[in-house]
């Protein structure tokens, strides 16, 4: 009987095993046979060293030789019939059957080996089957854990790792990893550390518990165990662990063994990334690593030095002074070295070391002309001598070019570098072209002229079949555009837009629009290009882009006729492009008579005749086509209303069209149709003044607003604050004309039913402010940011009613403090519905934070309200109110709170410790919170409430993450 | 009446703080993932902190992105402001946009060659049934998202030494239990 690992019957100590287990029979085959098994079977056997009986009974053929033992658990999972073949030992046959019968009762035996589990999982045909297998395994593992099973702990962890990889929760196994690590043997530790790195991450509290084991292992003499510990520490250590274990790692940096040394060096990198203050301790050991011969140690050492330079300027200075010479020598040696089979990749000795040395040189040479000069020669040598026919060589060249661009290199060296990129660009390998484009973007800043020379090649790359390359090339083209080449480049890009992939059209359109807007020297060119883009990629154009186009057209009286005619023509061919349709509809509504009467014909135009009913046809088509969205159809309705007063002969037809939509299922359209119908029928006397042409939209105000709203995402609070004060200032001299009676409804409608903005909520905010500004029609706000309805309202050209303005202002007031970190649209909408009615005056300094329900369970509710002294932004007073939701009174009520380290918490005594039932009384308590990282980190808190119900202890706990931003 | 646990606070604090630190602590390599052609995960290693949920999102998004790419395209995809370098059976490595993609490609080859030597022309099944071995090898190549060893021979030697350590330990326990069983 020679089992190759302990079976349960041989358990030396511990609780007495169940009777059936003690009768476990053990088969063995001579050890000689074992050696014949393939290597990885052997490895797997250690992990899952139960006998290799597959769940289907017969052992897999490759495993048959390794039938070293049968442990009871495998029996449980194998059908009895097959056991017969195993019960060769005769005498033990009956015991075996008894045993199997006993075990078959226990559905939770963790019987399967790792291999078998993997096989069973792979055999699953559906996700549901897989879930069932995993659930069963997890249940078995859980019960093994609760029984404190030691023999199979490593196997269970190995199984859990596999289950973890499939994406199932495995947190219950975390403690088992720690137990394995604490074991003394290498095999247990090896699996334990692997599990630790896989199943845990640095955020788990459990991780803190491993610090002690790590410390012990780091002090052992077995280099492999030390290596395991260093590896785990390097991969998942947290800041606390880094602090605790830094001295050990520092000591290990000085050991003789290269394996430990290199691991310690990489571990130090993690430590100084977590705790940059520790950098100086590692400085001199790191510098001494650069004198090593072993490549692994060198690579790790060079990386450590690079990271030291990143976190500390002192380190860069120190290394610059002491190591530059050594680095140059190292790089020269490695690049001149003869063939070294151990490190050779495609004829180059250790490209990894090359690249790391070059990277460190870049860190040292940055902004330091002496060092740059010193490394100039070696860089030139690497750049000119490295073979570029294989990837490894190109990787070195690429790094070398980056270093040349990064340091204060001589102009000759830079030319060399850009020439290398030029060669890369014409390479047939897509990878090389990709990195060349990438690098040229950095080179533009250094030497734009040299990059311009490759413009045609780069433009070709925009049309490449590879999306990654196209994207890079487009970015680069964008950087290369200037006043002289904008026209040919735009033409190329627009031509390509016609044939490009659908996926790429979005990016391409956005970039063309940016280029056209940024570099347009004349309005006509700008309008022409935009029309082309709209008719080719109108479905991808962003709202603010076509809004800007409308503002531009409205500001160019001599081009309005031309625009509306061009749009009319473009519409005939590309009526499926949403944004083109919208601009067309708007322009026909405004400038319809110019279309029909051929006003302001330019020389380049071909003459065309459009009748009044043709124009109405276009609008009717837009309104009735099923593919139009609500916004387009609403715009069409307004345009029709406008035309009805400009083209009297068509007014009957328009009236009919509008009447049809009185029954529209779309609420928005129905309401508009009803209102417009009543304007047409009952208010003929004011109709013509109502539907006058829009006042010229203020271009500079629109552009200013657009830029501020695009920056708003970054500094939301900063940009919204000034504009809100601007609104407040404008407000008093607001209303210019008395409001027109029929429109009152319309305005109310817009205030209630404002559609969800399609762009960012900040745009939306600005639009709201825009209403405030339109009180004086002369400064009529341009349409912007997605709220088409608002824009349409404005296009009617009537002043906003008086009482909406303060509403808007106050909503903005309540909104301002919450804008800081990316407010969601829903928040904005909530604010519009239930405005905070604290009545604070616009422009007052104290920010107001909404109260929150911090915690709610079926029995308890906790509300937080906040106050802040304006002069102390980092201190917040939180007034906590506790409400008992259950029907039992609570006594001895105690509230506890814990906060992250950067926050200080002070608790004042509570108002009482008795809490009456059913919300018939409250306890209040005040907390003072000081956030030392105010503005950078948000507040978070864990709370625990301990109380007694009918003299029974109860506790509840929770985590509060929904603090209003800015506390 | 109200007590605060300083020790507990620290514990909680660490859990919180590290959650917020995601954008601060960056490794050279953020993560290594191995996906099969069918989009099954064969190996994952995270060097920058990602929460469990983020991890599955990352895997889902990346496999969608990479598996749909045609042949002969370049081995880099841009994803959420990072770059992902992938090669042979979709070893994916995520790096910052200004890191050297070509070198990462070499690192992948380096890893694959070592696996190849270890398993003797590695195939997907090797990595499924001996996934832990693949992890052990990866741990000898990368630590903290940085390259550890450029010599394939050294890695092979270290892994072999540790494997034999495991074998020895196994035989020892085997002989002990053998003695016990004989004594019985």
């Amino acid at each position: 009987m020679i089992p190759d690992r302990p079976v349960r019957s041989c358990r030396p100590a511990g609780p007495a095993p169940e009777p059936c287990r003690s009768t476990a029979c053990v088969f063995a085959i001579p050890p000689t046979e074992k050696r014949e098994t393939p290597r990885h079977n052997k490895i797997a056997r250690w992990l899952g060293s139960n006998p290799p009986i597959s769940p289907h009974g017969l052992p897999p053929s490759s495993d048959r030789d390794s039938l070293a033992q049968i442990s009871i658990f495998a029996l449980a999972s194998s059908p009895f019939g097959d056991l017969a073949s195993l019960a060769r030992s005769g005498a033990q046959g009956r015991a075996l059957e008894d045993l199997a019968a006993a075990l078959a009762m226990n559905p939770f035996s963790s019987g399967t080996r790792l291999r078998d589990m993997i096989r069973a999982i792979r055999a699953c045909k559906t996700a549901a089957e897989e879930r069932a297998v995993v659930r069963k395994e997890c249940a078995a593992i859980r019960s093994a854990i609760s029984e404190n099973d030691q023999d199979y702990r490593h196997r269970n962890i190995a199984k859990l790792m596999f289950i973890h990889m499939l994406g199932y929760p495995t947190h219950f196994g975390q403690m088992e990893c720690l137990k394995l690590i604490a074991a003394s043997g290498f095999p247990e530790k090896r699996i334990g550390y692997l599990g630790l790195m896989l199943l845990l991450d640095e955020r788990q509290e459990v991780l803190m518990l491993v610090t002690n084991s790590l410390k012990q292992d780091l002090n052992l003499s077995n280099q492999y165990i030390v290596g395991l510990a260093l590896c785990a520490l390097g991969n998942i250590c947290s800041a606390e662990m880094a602090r605790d274990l830094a001295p050990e790692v520092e000591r290990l940096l000085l050991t003789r063994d290269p394996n430990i040394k290199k691991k310690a060096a990489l571990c130090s990198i993690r430590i100084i990334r977590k705790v940059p203050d520790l950098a100086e301790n590692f400085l001199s050991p790191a510098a001494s690593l650069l004198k090593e011969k072993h490549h692994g140690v060198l690579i790790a050492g060079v990386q450590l030095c690079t990271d030291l330079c990143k976190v500390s300027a002192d380190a860069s200075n120190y290394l610059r002074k002491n190591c530059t010479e050594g680095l140059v020598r190292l790089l020269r040696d490695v690049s001149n070295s003869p063939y070294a089979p151990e490190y050779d990749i495609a004829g180059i000795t250790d490209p990894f070391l090359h690249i790391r040395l070059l990277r460190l040189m870049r860190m040292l040479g940055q902004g330091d002309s002496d060092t740059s000069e010193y490394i100039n020669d070696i860089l030139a040598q690497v750049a000119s001598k490295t073979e570029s026919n294989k990837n490894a060589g190109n990787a070195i060249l690429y790094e070398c070019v980056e270093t040349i661009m990064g340091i204060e290199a001589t102009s000759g060296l830079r030319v060399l570098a850009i020439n290398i990129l030029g060669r890369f660009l014409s390479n047939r390998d897509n990878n090389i072209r990709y990195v060349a484009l990438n690098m040229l973007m950095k080179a533009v800043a250094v030497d734009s002229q040299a990059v311009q020379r490759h413009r045609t090649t780069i433009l070709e790359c925009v049309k490449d079949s590879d999306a990654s390359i196209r994207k890079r090339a487009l970015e680069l083209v964008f950087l290369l555009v200037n006043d002289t080449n904008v026209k040919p480049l735009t033409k190329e890009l627009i031509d390509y837009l016609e044939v490009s992939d659908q996926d790429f059209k979005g990016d391409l359109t956005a970039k063309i629009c940016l280029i056209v807007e940024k570099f347009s020297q004349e309005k006509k060119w700008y309008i022409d290009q935009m029309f082309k883009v709209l008719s080719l990629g109108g479905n991808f154009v962003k709202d603010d882009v076509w809004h800007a186009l409308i503002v531009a057209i409205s500001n160019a009286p001599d081009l309005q006729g031309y625009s509306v005619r061009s749009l009319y023509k473009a519409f005939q061919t590309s009526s499926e492009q949403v944004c083109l349709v919208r601009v067309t509809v708007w322009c026909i509504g405004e400038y319809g008579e110019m279309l029909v009467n051929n006003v302001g014909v330019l020389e380049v135009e071909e003459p065309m005749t459009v009748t009044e009913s043709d124009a109405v046809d276009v609008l009717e088509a837009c309104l009735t086509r099923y593919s139009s969205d609500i916004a387009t159809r609403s715009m069409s309705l307004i345009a029709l209303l406008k035309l009805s007063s400009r083209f009297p002969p068509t007014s009957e037809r328009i009236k009919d069209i509008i009447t049809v939509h009185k029954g529209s299922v779309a609420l928005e359209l129905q309401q508009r149709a009803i209102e417009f119908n009543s304007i047409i029928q009952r208010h003929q006397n004011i109709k013509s003044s109502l539907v006058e042409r829009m006042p010229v939209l203020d271009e500079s105000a629109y552009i200013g607003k657009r830029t501020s709203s695009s920056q708003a995402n970054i500094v939301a609070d900063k940009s919204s604050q000034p504009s809100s004060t601007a609104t407040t200032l404008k407000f008093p001299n607001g209303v210019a004309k008395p409001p027109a009676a029929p429109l009152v409804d319309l305005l109310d409608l817009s205030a209630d039913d404002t559609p969800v903005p399609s762009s960012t909520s900040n745009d939306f905010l600005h639009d709201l402010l825009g209403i405030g500004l339109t009180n004086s029609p002369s400064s009529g706000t341009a349409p912007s940011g997605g709220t088409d309805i608002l824009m349409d309202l404005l296009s009617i050209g009537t002043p906003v009613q008086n009482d909406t303005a303060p509403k808007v202002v106050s909503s903005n007031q309540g909104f301002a403090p919450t804008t800081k970190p990316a407010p969601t649209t829903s928040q904005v909408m909530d604010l519009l519905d239930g405005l905070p009615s604290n009545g604070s005056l616009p422009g007052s300094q104290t920010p107001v934070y909404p109260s929150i329900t911090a915690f709610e369970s079926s029995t308890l509710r906790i509300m937080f309200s906040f106050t802040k002294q304006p002069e102390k932004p980092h201190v917040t007073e939180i007034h906590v109110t506790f409400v008992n939701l259950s029907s039992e009174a609570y006594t001895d009520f105690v509230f506890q709170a814990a906060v992250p380290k950067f926050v200080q918490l002070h608790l004042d005594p509570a108002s009482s410790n008795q809490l009456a039932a059913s919300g018939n009384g409250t306890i209040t308590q005040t907390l003072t919170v000081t956030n030392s990282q105010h503005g950078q980190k948000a507040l978070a808190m864990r709370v625990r409430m301990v109380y007694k119900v009918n003299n029974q202890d109860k506790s509840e706990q929770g985590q509060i993450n929904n603090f209003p931003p800015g506390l | 009446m109200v007590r605060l646990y300083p020790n507990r606070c620290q514990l909680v604090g660490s859990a919180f703080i590290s959650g917020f630190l995601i954008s601060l602590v960056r490794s050279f390599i953020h993560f290594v993932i191995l996906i099969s052609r069918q989009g099954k995960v064969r190996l994952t290693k995270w060097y920058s902190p990602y929460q469990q949920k983020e991890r599955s999102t990352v895997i889902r998004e990346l496999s969608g992105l990479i598996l749909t790419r045609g042949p002969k395209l370049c081995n880099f995809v841009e994803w959420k402001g990072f770059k992902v370098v992938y090669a042979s059976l979709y070893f994916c490595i995520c790096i910052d946009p200004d890191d050297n993609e070509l070198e990462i490609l070499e690192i992948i080859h380096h890893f694959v060659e070592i696996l190849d030597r270890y398993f003797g022309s590695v195939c997907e099944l090797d990595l499924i049934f001996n996934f832990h071995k693949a992890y052990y090898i990866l741990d000898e190549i990368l630590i903290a998202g940085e390259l550890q060893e450029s010599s394939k021979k050294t890695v092979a030697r270290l892994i072999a030494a540790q494997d034999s350590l495991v074998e020895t330990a196994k035989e020892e326990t085997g002989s002990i239990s053998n003695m016990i069983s004989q004594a019985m």
Side-chain angles (χ1 to χ4, degrees):
Chain A
M1 302 284 143
I2 310 166
D4 65 350
R5 63 171 312 282
V7 288
R8 276 161 183 270
S9 55
C10 312
R11 200 188 277 174
E18 292 164 33
C20 59
R21 285 185 187 173
S22 61
T23 59
C25 49
V26 177
F27 288 84
I29 48 165
T32 43
E33 277 184 56
K34 221 167 61 188
R35 282 192 209 107
E36 290 166 15
T37 57
R39 183 165 36 107
H40 43 266
N41 280 343
K42 248 196 273 178
I43 293 152
R45 205 179 334 126
W46 185 79
L47 276 168
S49 43
N50 270 348
I53 300 168
S54 74
H56 313 294
L58 276 173
S61 58
S62 65
D63 286 336
R64 221 167 286 214
D65 305 327
S66 63
L67 246 179
Q69 57 153 331
I70 296 167
S71 100
I72 45 172
F73 288 104
L75 295 184
S77 62
S78 49
F80 291 81
D82 297 310
L83 287 179
S85 65
L86 299 170
R88 275 168 286 183
S89 63
Q92 285 170 321
R94 184 179 296 169
L96 211 146
E97 274 173 35
D98 290 347
L99 166 67
L103 278 169
M105 306 287 204
N106 179 7
F108 290 119
S109 58
S110 59
T112 39
R113 301 179 313 149
L114 174 68
R115 262 181 167 258
D116 294 331
M117 184 194 80
I118 297 176
R119 229 175 251 143
I121 288 176
R122 278 169 58 76
C124 294
K125 297 229 166 34
T126 63
E129 270 179 57
E130 183 185 292
R131 274 198 298 276
V133 172
V134 170
R135 208 179 309 127
K136 207 172 144 216
E137 282 295 340
C138 284
I141 295 170
R142 274 172 194 269
S143 70
I145 290 174
S146 63
E147 283 169 23
N148 203 14
D149 177 310
Q150 289 178 9
D151 297 344
Y152 294 101
R153 188 173 278 151
H154 49 73
R155 191 174 72 184
N156 288 339
I157 288 300
K159 280 185 187 171
L160 274 183
M161 283 191 260
F162 191 83
I163 291 171
H164 179 87
M165 256 197 301
L166 299 175
Y168 295 93
T170 51
H171 49 274
F172 54 86
Q174 291 173 353
M175 286 307 289
E176 296 292 290
C177 294
L178 303 196
K179 289 180 191 162
L180 280 174
I181 292 171
S184 61
F186 177 77
E188 283 83 8
K189 279 189 193 291
R190 198 183 193 195
I191 282 280
Y193 277 117
L194 186 59
L196 184 79
M197 288 186 278
L198 220 63
L199 305 183
L200 274 79
D201 67 53
E202 60 177 270
R203 276 179 301 267
Q204 261 118 15
E205 293 171 25
V206 181
L207 194 59
M208 289 300 290
L209 305 175
V210 88
T211 313
N212 219 16
S213 302
L214 275 170
K215 197 169 201 153
Q216 274 170 10
D217 285 352
L218 289 175
N219 286 315
L220 289 178
S221 60
N222 183 333
Q223 62 148 324
Y224 298 110
I225 294 183
V226 177
L228 287 178
L230 281 172
C231 180
L233 191 62
N235 283 343
I236 57 165
C237 87
S238 62
E240 278 85 358
M241 289 167 75
R243 255 184 246 280
D244 289 346
L245 298 171
E248 262 73 23
V249 176
E250 222 180 297
R251 184 178 56 75
L252 290 170
L253 271 179
L254 306 172
T255 51
R256 288 233 314 277
D257 184 9
N259 179 30
I260 292 183
K261 222 177 222 180
K262 70 183 181 193
K263 287 192 165 80
L266 294 179
C267 206
S268 319
I269 295 181
R270 172 92 181 194
I271 290 174
I272 58 169
R273 272 182 197 150
K274 290 279 167 195
V275 192
D277 312 347
L278 293 172
E280 55 181 315
N281 302 358
F282 289 100
L283 194 47
S284 77
S288 69
L289 289 178
L290 299 182
K291 302 191 182 82
E292 293 281 336
K293 286 276 178 292
H294 188 280
H295 280 219
V297 180
L298 267 178
I299 283 180
V302 172
Q303 273 166 182
L304 177 55
C305 289
T306 313
D307 267 77
L308 282 168
C309 291
K310 278 185 203 158
V311 295
S312 132
D314 291 346
S316 327
N317 289 331
Y318 177 87
L319 291 170
R320 227 171 252 148
K321 221 179 287 164
N322 296 306
C323 301
T324 316
E325 207 179 317
L327 285 174
V328 170
R329 199 170 45 237
L330 265 175
L331 185 55
R332 185 172 299 131
D333 287 351
V334 71
S335 82
N336 292 339
S337 102
Y339 175 71
E342 189 169 356
Y343 300 103
D344 185 82
I345 294 179
I348 294 165
T349 306
D350 208 343
F352 301 111
L353 184 58
H354 270 96
I355 287 167
R356 275 167 185 74
L357 285 168
L358 287 167
R359 199 175 292 153
L360 180 55
M361 285 184 178
R362 180 161 74 241
M363 295 299 293
L364 298 180
Q366 244 160 20
D368 186 288
S369 50
D370 288 346
T371 317
S372 300
E373 203 188 316
Y374 193 83
I375 58 179
N376 205 35
D377 288 350
I378 184 71
L379 290 180
Q381 189 199 324
V382 172
S384 50
K385 272 184 67 183
T386 310
E387 291 279 340
S388 64
N389 50 2
K390 285 276 162 51
N391 183 56
N394 285 327
I396 294 177
L397 284 174
Y398 178 48
E399 197 69 39
C400 190
V401 169
E402 188 154 9
T403 299
I404 293 172
M405 295 291 172
I407 64 167
E408 318 291 313
T410 58
S411 61
L413 201 53
R414 292 213 161 139
V415 171
L416 187 62
I418 292 188
N419 285 343
I420 292 177
L421 294 181
R423 255 191 293 145
F424 274 16
L425 209 52
S426 50
N427 199 309
R428 270 186 310 172
D429 184 349
N430 277 349
N431 290 341
I432 307 294
R433 280 198 293 153
Y434 177 88
V435 297
L437 290 168
N438 211 5
M439 202 60 227
L440 282 169
M441 277 178 78
K442 289 182 194 160
V444 172
V446 179
D447 187 351
S448 152
Q449 227 33 54
V451 183
Q452 290 284 0
R453 262 184 276 138
H454 301 290
R455 205 173 58 217
T456 17
T457 326
I458 296 165
L459 211 52
E460 281 310 304
C461 292
V462 175
K463 303 168 186 173
D464 200 276
S465 58
D466 186 334
S468 296
I469 289 187
R470 280 199 306 248
K471 214 170 158 193
R472 276 293 115 225
L474 186 59
E475 301 273 335
L476 186 55
V477 166
F478 182 62
L479 290 180
L480 287 180
V481 175
N482 59 26
D483 288 335
T484 51
N485 61 21
V486 59
K487 287 191 176 171
L489 275 179
T490 315
K491 187 176 177 306
E492 282 278 345
L493 292 179
I494 289 179
D495 286 350
Y496 179 60
L497 182 60
E498 201 168 347
V499 293
S500 70
D501 278 1
Q502 285 297 322
D503 313 344
F504 192 49
K505 276 195 168 132
D507 281 346
L508 193 56
T509 325
K511 277 284 183 291
I512 298 176
C513 291
L514 269 176
I515 292 174
V516 170
E517 283 176 357
K518 198 168 153 198
F519 292 97
S520 73
Q521 291 136 338
E522 47 195 297
K523 258 206 163 131
K524 179 167 175 297
W525 183 79
Y526 164 73
I527 289 175
D528 276 342
Q529 304 308 312
M530 287 309 296
F531 287 168
K532 280 189 204 160
V533 174
L534 282 176
S535 36
L536 291 172
N539 288 332
F540 304 97
V541 174
K542 298 246 173 8
D543 280 348
D544 59 337
V545 171
W546 66 266
H547 292 169
L549 175 62
I550 285 181
V551 175
I553 294 175
S554 129
N555 276 286
D558 45 337
L559 290 174
Q560 285 163 352
Y562 169 72
S563 301
V564 69
R565 283 187 296 274
S566 312
L567 284 167
Y568 179 81
K569 257 188 276 180
F571 180 81
Q572 307 300 326
T573 53
S574 345
S575 59
E576 74 287 350
Q577 306 285 356
V578 179
C579 293
L580 177 78
V581 172
R582 288 192 192 169
V583 177
T584 311
V585 165
W586 191 88
C587 284
I588 291 179
E590 292 298 317
Y591 313 115
E593 70 278 17
M594 296 185 177
L595 174 66
V596 177
N597 304 336
N598 278 328
V599 177
V601 180
L602 301 183
E603 281 172 19
V604 291
E605 279 185 78
E606 290 169 24
M608 58 188 280
T609 17
V610 181
T611 64
E612 293 176 346
S613 73
D614 288 341
V616 176
D617 281 345
V618 169
L619 295 179
E620 193 182 4
C622 296
L623 182 59
T624 50
R625 211 175 22 192
Y626 69 93
S627 60
S628 303
D629 57 2
I630 297 285
T632 313
R633 294 163 83 182
S634 317
M635 288 176 75
S636 310
L637 264 183
I638 289 188
L640 280 170
L641 181 69
K642 290 199 168 192
L643 286 193
S644 80
S645 91
R646 299 211 192 127
F647 300 157
T650 61
S651 63
E652 267 312 301
R653 186 179 157 203
I654 291 173
K655 192 181 150 194
D656 290 344
I657 300 172
I658 289 179
T659 316
V660 169
H661 283 84
K662 276 164 77 176
S664 169
V665 284
L667 189 63
E668 180 62 39
L669 289 183
Q670 190 190 61
Q671 192 143 3
R672 280 183 193 228
I674 290 170
E675 282 154 1
F676 293 168
N677 192 45
S678 86
I679 294 174
I680 292 171
Q681 284 190 331
R682 281 185 279 160
H683 301 280
Q684 279 298 342
N685 50 340
I686 58 161
K687 188 176 106 179
S688 58
S689 61
L690 265 181
V691 298
E692 262 172 16
R693 185 178 295 172
M694 282 276 282
V696 173
L697 304 159
D698 187 347
E699 204 163 8
S700 55
Y702 176 73
I703 293 168
K705 213 166 63 144
R706 207 175 147 199
T707 31
S708 68
S709 75
S710 61
Q711 285 164 358
N713 284 334
I714 310 153
V715 277
D717 47 340
K718 280 186 190 152
S719 68
S720 63
Q721 215 64 39
S723 45
S724 78
T725 45
T727 321
T728 335
L729 290 177
K730 288 250 179 188
F731 170 59
N733 41 9
V735 188
K737 282 189 207 171
L743 279 175
V744 176
D745 290 348
L746 205 68
L747 286 168
D748 280 349
L749 157 84
S750 80
D752 294 336
D753 283 358
T754 322
V756 176
S758 57
S759 56
T760 67
S761 48
N762 281 311
D763 282 351
F764 182 64
L765 174 65
H766 281 270
D767 287 342
L768 281 175
L769 298 176
I771 296 189
L773 287 166
T774 51
N775 286 326
S776 52
S778 58
S779 74
T781 324
S784 84
T787 40
D788 300 313
I789 310 301
L790 282 178
M791 189 195 91
D792 293 342
L793 275 170
L794 299 178
S795 74
I796 295 174
T798 328
V800 171
Q801 222 229 338
N802 195 357
D803 59 359
T804 56
K807 204 170 178 181
V808 169
V809 171
S810 72
S811 84
N812 175 54
Q813 224 290 319
F815 178 60
T818 59
T819 27
K820 262 189 208 161
T824 60
T825 314
S826 64
Q827 258 178 322
V828 181
M829 299 312 287
D830 286 345
L831 277 158
L832 285 173
D833 291 338
L835 297 172
S837 52
N838 46 30
S840 60
L841 284 170
S844 80
Q845 288 295 307
T846 331
V848 179
Y849 296 95
S851 302
I852 57 167
T853 302
F855 175 85
E856 184 156 22
S857 68
S858 56
T859 48
L860 191 64
R861 182 190 294 148
I862 305 176
M863 269 104 59
F864 281 10
S865 62
F866 308 93
T867 49
K868 221 175 230 254
Q869 303 295 323
E871 64 272 18
K872 286 192 213 149
H874 52 286
V875 181
T876 315
E877 238 178 56
I878 306 178
H879 303 279
V880 188
T881 314
F882 302 92
V883 183
N884 180 353
L885 302 176
S886 74
S887 52
E888 313 271 6
Y890 298 163
T891 54
D892 297 330
F893 187 91
V894 176
F895 169 68
Q896 297 163 337
V899 287
K901 261 193 178 167
F902 58 86
V903 178
Q904 283 179 348
L905 175 67
H906 177 81
L907 292 134
D908 289 340
S911 60
S912 152
N913 63 357
Q914 312 284 337
L915 193 50
S918 319
N920 287 331
T922 56
I923 299 180
T924 57
Q925 190 167 13
T926 305
L927 322 178
T928 313
V929 174
T930 312
N931 184 351
S932 63
Q933 309 228 26
H934 175 73
Q936 297 165 30
K937 288 185 183 170
L939 217 51
M941 192 181 281
R942 274 192 189 169
V943 295
R944 192 154 92 106
M945 283 67 61
V946 185
Y947 52 84
K948 282 187 177 163
V949 183
N950 298 331
N951 264 341
Q952 282 197 322
D953 283 331
K954 296 251 170 167
S955 80
E956 289 187 68
Q957 49 190 342
Q959 183 162 336
I960 305 169
N961 292 326
N962 58 340
F963 284 102
L967 288 178
Chain B
M1 186 173 156
V2 171
R3 273 156 287 151
L4 277 176
Y5 307 114
N7 285 335
R8 188 171 159 69
C9 272
Q10 235 170 18
L11 273 181
V12 173
S14 76
F16 278 147
I17 292 168
S18 47
F20 298 143
L21 267 180
I22 289 184
S23 55
L24 295 179
V25 187
R26 282 271 161 92
S27 320
F28 169 52
I29 290 173
H30 299 295
F31 55 77
V32 179
I33 300 178
L34 174 54
I35 10 183
S36 71
R37 274 182 224 291
Q38 289 77 35
K40 289 251 194 275
V41 184
R42 297 299 178 215
L43 181 147
T44 57
K45 193 90 186 174
W46 309 86
Y47 295 105
S48 296
Y50 288 85
Q51 309 222 333
Q52 213 52 253
K53 263 197 187 145
E54 294 172 300
R55 292 183 181 185
S56 36
T57 328
V58 166
I59 293 170
R60 204 172 45 242
E61 283 182 12
L62 273 186
S63 43
L65 201 63
I66 288 170
L67 298 177
T68 50
R69 277 174 70 83
K72 290 201 181 164
L73 302 184
C74 70
N75 299 69
F76 318 126
V77 284
E78 287 168 35
W79 167 82
K80 290 195 172 166
F82 297 104
K83 273 185 198 148
V84 178
V85 181
Y86 68 94
S88 62
L89 240 167
Y90 310 117
F91 284 82
C92 312
I93 292 188
C94 175
I95 51 171
D96 280 334
D98 48 356
D99 282 325
N100 189 335
E101 303 88 349
L102 298 180
E103 190 210 353
I104 297 296
L105 217 49
E106 280 307 320
I107 290 184
I108 294 180
H109 290 160
H110 187 58
F111 183 31
V112 174
E113 279 181 41
I114 294 172
L115 287 174
D116 224 32
R117 276 190 202 188
Y118 184 82
F119 289 108
S121 106
V122 64
C123 67
E124 205 189 328
L125 279 179
D126 288 324
L127 297 180
I128 295 170
F129 285 101
N130 291 304
F131 67 93
H132 50 289
K133 292 282 155 186
Y135 279 108
Y136 291 146
I137 292 173
L138 185 59
D139 282 341
E140 289 296 333
I141 298 174
L142 296 175
I143 288 184
E146 306 282 350
L147 185 75
Q148 185 189 165
E149 182 57 69
S150 58
S151 155
K152 300 177 188 63
K153 217 168 109 189
T154 311
V155 174
R157 192 170 47 76
L158 286 171
I159 291 288
Q162 296 181 59
D163 281 351
S164 71
L165 220 57
V166 173
E167 286 293 312
T168 330
K170 210 171 77 180
E171 272 159 29
E172 268 171 30
T173 47
S175 60
I176 291 171
S177 52
N178 189 19
M179 281 188 289
I180 296 171
S181 64
Q182 279 175 351
M184 284 166 73

